[in-house]
Amino acid sequence: MVLPDGRADTKLIGMNPQERIAQLRDEINYHLYRYHVLDSPVISDAEYDALYNELLALEEENPALVTPDSPTQRAGAEPLSAFAKVTHPAPILSLSNAFNAADLFAWRQRIGRYLPDPNMDLDYVAEPKLDGLTVVLTYENGRFTQGATRGNGEVGEDITQNLRTITAVPQRIPVDPQSDLPAPPYLVVRGEVFFPLDKFEQFNERQRVEERQVYMNPRNAASGSLRQLDPRITAGRPLTIFCYDLVAWDGIDVPDHQWDRLNYLRQLGFPVSSDSQYCESIQAVADIYNAWFEKRNQINYEVDGVVVKINDRPLAESLGYVGKDPRGAVAMKFPAQEKTTKLLGVQVNVGRTGILAPNALLEPVEIGGVVVRNATLHNYDEIARKDIRIGDTVIVKRAGDVIPYIVGPVADLRDSSERVIEPPTHCPVCGEPALRVPGEVAIYCDNPSCPEQLVRRVEYFVSRGAMDIDGFGTKTGALLAEVGLVKDLADIYYLSREDLLALEGFKDKKVGNLLNGLEASKNQSPVRFLTALGIRFVGNVVAGLLIDEFGSIDALAEADQARLEEVEGIGPGTAVSVTSWFADERHRALLEKFRAAGLKFAVEKSAQDGAASTALAGLTFVITGTLPTMSRDEAKAFIEAHGGKVTGSVSKNTDFLLAGEKAGSKLTKAESLGVSIIDEAKLLNMT
Ligand code: IVH
């Protein structure tokens, strides 16, 4: 077979597992690179899955051949208890700053003194100054062996496991197995790990809805994600990297010019920013600075300036250092997206679990082309710590397109008319007393019928991570609560077509989609349903543990605190939260309303039986499309409970394709391979 880009598919019969594993890893790494770095895949997702599954299967059969650099290990290894220290092979230097063209020309003038001829012609490379986290990647004989943070420039922290989860970080170089370049015996590369802005916004929005940590800006999010002791958390974050420097090498000749070094990195398969530019004069650099400043808000990553490097690296190095800053390069920073303005007041926003969050009302101020009127103040402890007062002149920062935040007050500008910000004693919406939970920074409104909490809870209930109701947007929930059609969560299942059609903007089609989405969601698993109830500390992982243990929401409701704490992974805080939720009469009534609407409270009997049967032992299934009664998770649990195996993609090793409605390419593939296709009823009959 010949792959779409003309390469021969070298899969050979008769290869030993070790050879085939090595070959599969190379191919998979190459396709990851085509997909994530070049953005131009040459095989379909299904073909990729087939390669990946073949590797997975071979590694399962030959556990001794699993190595940490295998693409199967990118999903994240076991958590660490602490990061080890790493001494860098050469200092990881920083840069001196320039803030405008005059500073740039002054820098050029200054370095003249150290050049063979002060007025000699120099050429430069201008690179985007990425606002992420510097990392140092070590490759030995072409394999990624260690990744570290910058730390103090001499000693950093070993974050190898986390960096392995980033698909754009090559595990082997050259990434292209057909490359003519030799694998460098030793190469240390410097780069910047960051969150693309669009991904950051989606990610943060999800964190917000799930009431997890919302990050202040993409840089903090990148740094927080990389410094997780549990690499499985890092693996779930959409991080990427650009590389821009060679720190150390051995056994290879590297190009002398920075422009050629960037190309060398690129040829080895490292992601290198395509925004970098060659400049034949210092004036060209100044022009680029201006051009990038204009377009900085259109770039999908945070750029806080332009790094200017003398192209001739040996010459640049001969200029020496000032402290930790090499003379041969300079960072031209963009003016900070920061302004001062007056804090006019604080508005209290009510969250899903009743968190009362302070939000700053500002005298409108233009920052980076956007008028800012609101900013987050995080929580009341933070306000007290920074001593922010109403009437203060405050520094507001806008990082990328994220929610602006208050850096702090300018205390020198006070005229003693400022007022201290008191934490709320009552919910501003329903008026019930506010509550502070010992050990938590948040202040809560404790009234489950609070109208604002209801809007937030509906928003969460229908969201992707919870019941995933098609056609039910954020605004729909707010509108339904506002007009009184939804007074509690369960009301969304009692909406009539007539009620909805009477609302402004709700035409036949929209109403149809909404009702279909609601109907379909009644089949969601009890794990999703429990998650969607929004019980404090019960996200989808905890919900999974609880349903695994108790099998149904009713059995869970009967469990006392001691019983809950017996469950692996459930601590006292969660146990108290769960028991007090179920102890509340209003919640019991709500559950009955859900039951009457037809939601699923229990895991399907047979799936709950554990490995009670071996009827499906030795059989491999793939699931596709929407099944009439089971969710895919339930079908998987059912198959596994009967000894069967479920994999992600169809191959010649698949015994059955379990297909529901809207089955797509997997169905076509199964048909072409002659795999038996069954429906849910057939599956149930097999056991
Ligand atoms: S070169 C001697 N190039 O900016 C080499 N740094 O203010 C010094 N940075 O610590 C670094 N993008 O974290 C270089 N294209 C780029 C960069 C870059 C971002 C960061 C880096 C450095 C800081 C210096």
Side-chain angles (χ1 to χ4, degrees):
M1 174 180 154
V2 173
L3 295 176
D5 64 345
R7 296 149 172 275
D9 181 356
T10 42
K11 179 173 172 178
L12 292 174
I13 302 155
M15 233 183 217
N16 71 32
Q18 190 159 11
E19 286 164 349
R20 180 65 185 152
I21 284 176
Q23 186 186 47
L24 283 167
R25 286 179 187 165
D26 279 348
E27 285 191 20
I28 289 169
N29 279 326
Y30 175 72
H31 293 302
L32 282 174
Y33 163 75
R34 300 277 331 188
Y35 187 89
H36 289 282
V37 180
L38 300 185
D39 209 8
S40 85
V42 286
I43 57 172
S44 68
D45 289 2
E47 284 168 307
Y48 173 82
D49 288 347
L51 292 175
Y52 189 88
N53 287 334
E54 189 187 344
L55 176 61
L56 208 56
L58 274 174
E59 287 183 342
E60 264 171 27
E61 282 162 27
N62 303 279
L65 298 179
V66 178
T67 56
D69 67 352
S70 171
T72 58
Q73 306 301 303
R74 290 215 195 235
E78 287 298 304
L80 297 170
S81 52
F83 295 116
K85 297 275 180 244
V86 172
T87 303
H88 301 305
I92 303 302
L93 301 166
S94 66
L95 289 173
S96 62
N97 292 327
F99 295 95
N100 48 45
D103 289 352
L104 176 71
F105 294 124
W107 166 74
R108 171 63 189 85
Q109 185 93 44
R110 257 193 334 268
I111 60 173
R113 283 193 275 147
Y114 305 89
L115 289 168
D117 164 7
N119 297 318
M120 71 190 279
D121 282 340
L122 290 178
D123 56 354
Y124 308 86
V125 175
E127 298 171 14
K129 183 166 170 358
L130 305 154
D131 198 10
L133 202 81
T134 299
V135 294
V136 181
L137 311 173
T138 303
Y139 291 80
E140 288 166 86
N141 296 320
R143 283 162 189 265
F144 174 56
T145 51
Q146 188 178 68
T149 62
R150 174 172 188 269
N152 63 7
E154 274 161 29
V155 178
E157 284 179 321
D158 185 336
I159 52 163
T160 314
Q161 291 198 1
N162 291 346
L163 287 166
R164 279 199 205 288
T165 69
I166 303 176
T167 28
V169 171
Q171 296 295 306
R172 305 244 191 135
I173 48 169
V175 175
D176 185 346
Q178 324 257 301
S179 166
D180 294 335
L181 284 176
Y186 177 70
L187 181 66
V188 183
V189 168
R190 176 172 179 172
E192 204 84 357
V193 169
F194 61 96
F195 254 85
L197 290 180
D198 54 348
K199 301 264 172 53
F200 171 70
E201 272 153 47
Q202 289 161 13
F203 166 75
N204 234 9
E205 173 58 16
R206 192 149 178 201
Q207 294 283 100
R208 186 186 69 75
V209 171
E210 291 173 5
E211 293 200 349
R212 291 181 214 266
Q213 180 178 8
V214 171
Y215 287 95
M216 222 122 75
N217 54 49
R219 203 200 112 81
N220 287 358
S223 139
S225 304
L226 271 186
R227 299 198 72 267
Q228 294 286 339
L229 289 167
D230 186 347
R232 288 167 295 196
I233 298 181
T234 315
R237 307 273 169 99
L239 294 165
T240 188
I241 188 171
F242 276 143
C243 295
Y244 51 78
D245 207 7
L246 307 175
V247 175
W249 57 88
D250 198 20
I252 36 163
D253 285 330
V254 307
D256 274 345
H257 290 90
Q258 174 65 9
W259 188 243
D260 300 330
R261 285 189 185 177
L262 291 180
N263 263 329
Y264 176 62
L265 283 170
R266 213 176 259 130
Q267 281 163 5
L268 285 175
F270 289 97
V272 173
S273 168
S274 56
D275 290 314
S276 295
Q277 270 175 280
Y278 171 78
C279 303
E280 53 179 23
S281 70
I282 197 82
Q283 184 57 50
V285 174
D287 293 345
I288 281 177
Y289 173 78
N290 290 332
W292 285 359
F293 180 59
E294 294 294 318
K295 65 169 193 198
R296 64 185 293 202
N297 287 324
Q298 294 155 33
I299 306 176
N300 192 23
Y301 49 87
E302 193 91 358
V303 179
D304 61 346
V306 179
V307 179
V308 185
K309 300 177 181 173
I310 294 181
N311 195 18
D312 184 336
R313 293 293 303 260
L315 177 70
E317 264 131 51
S318 74
L319 305 182
Y321 305 87
V322 185
K324 286 190 171 171
D325 305 336
R327 286 202 179 85
V330 66
M332 285 188 83
K333 300 272 282 256
F334 294 139
Q337 306 250 66
E338 227 175 59
K339 286 264 178 80
T340 54
T341 187
K342 273 252 178 315
L343 176 61
L344 303 176
V346 176
Q347 182 188 312
V348 182
N349 289 343
V350 186
R352 161 173 66 85
T353 53
I355 286 184
L356 300 177
N359 188 11
L361 303 175
L362 304 168
E363 202 167 85
V365 58
E366 194 248 66
I367 311 178
V370 172
V371 178
V372 176
R373 292 189 169 81
N374 294 285
T376 171
L377 283 159
H378 301 291
N379 57 58
Y380 287 89
D381 282 5
E382 191 75 358
I383 294 176
R385 194 178 63 75
K386 292 180 175 165
D387 186 21
I388 302 170
R389 305 180 195 176
I390 294 173
D392 262 339
T393 299
V394 289
I395 301 165
V396 186
K397 182 157 182 163
R398 205 187 125 230
D401 286 329
V402 298
I403 319 159
Y405 66 98
I406 308 283
V407 178
V410 188
D412 285 351
L413 294 179
R414 284 187 179 150
D415 61 10
S416 69
S417 68
E418 296 77 19
R419 284 179 293 126
V420 169
I421 300 167
E422 300 289 353
T425 53
H426 290 82
C427 171
V429 178
C430 71
E432 294 261 320
L435 182 93
R436 189 154 195 158
V437 181
E440 283 187 48
V441 285
I443 295 173
Y444 294 94
C445 158
D446 200 30
N447 169 17
S449 316
C450 172
E452 189 68 11
Q453 276 187 52
L454 177 63
V455 172
R456 297 274 103 79
R457 281 204 303 271
V458 172
E459 182 181 298
Y460 178 71
F461 188 89
V462 305
S463 70
R464 285 263 291 281
M467 294 296 270
D468 192 13
I469 304 186
D470 276 349
F472 207 131
T474 314
K475 291 207 183 97
T476 309
L479 176 69
L480 293 171
E482 204 175 294
V483 298
L485 281 175
V486 169
K487 295 202 182 67
D488 64 40
L489 269 184
D491 278 342
I492 64 169
Y493 289 107
Y494 294 87
L495 295 164
S496 71
R497 185 174 289 274
E498 296 69 47
D499 284 342
L500 290 168
L501 284 170
L503 297 174
E504 201 182 321
F506 279 66
K507 299 261 158 54
D508 244 0
K509 184 153 181 241
K510 181 163 172 177
V511 170
N513 287 343
L514 183 57
L515 291 173
N516 286 341
L518 282 163
E519 197 53 37
S521 77
K522 292 181 183 169
N523 266 327
Q524 290 288 27
S525 65
V527 173
R528 276 185 179 268
F529 178 33
L530 178 59
T531 309
L533 291 174
I535 303 171
R536 213 174 280 166
F537 309 130
V538 184
N540 61 349
V541 173
V542 169
L545 295 175
L546 293 172
I547 295 294
D548 267 358
E549 177 77 18
F550 295 99
S552 73
I553 292 185
D554 294 315
L556 172 64
E558 297 314 312
D560 64 12
Q561 200 186 325
R563 175 70 187 92
L564 284 166
E565 282 186 50
E566 283 170 17
V567 182
E568 178 89 30
I570 305 297
T574 308
V576 170
S577 167
V578 170
T579 48
S580 49
W581 196 91
F582 284 107
D584 191 321
E585 277 309 314
R586 291 169 293 195
H587 293 148
R588 294 279 185 159
L590 182 72
L591 285 174
E592 288 320 307
K593 216 162 146 183
F594 277 125
R595 194 192 310 276
L599 274 80
K600 276 205 206 157
F601 278 55
V603 179
E604 225 89 321
K605 184 80 187 78
S606 37
Q608 197 198 323
D609 285 342
S613 134
T614 51
L616 305 178
L619 299 177
T620 301
F621 292 75
V622 172
I623 309 171
T624 185
T626 312
L627 303 173
T629 74
M630 290 187 193
S631 73
R632 288 206 215 176
D633 286 350
E634 283 162 355
K636 181 167 186 279
F638 178 87
I639 292 168
E640 287 169 355
H642 292 89
K645 197 169 129 193
V646 177
T647 64
S649 72
V650 179
S651 74
K652 59 178 181 359
N653 298 326
T654 310
D655 296 300
F656 293 99
L657 178 75
L658 172 59
E661 256 183 64
K662 294 200 196 127
S665 62
K666 287 182 186 167
L667 182 60
T668 330
K669 177 103 184 254
E671 281 165 353
S672 73
L673 289 175
V675 170
S676 309
I677 295 156
I678 55 165
D679 59 12
E680 188 187 292
K682 181 83 200 303
L683 173 73
L684 295 173
N685 277 333
M686 287 168 77
T687 57

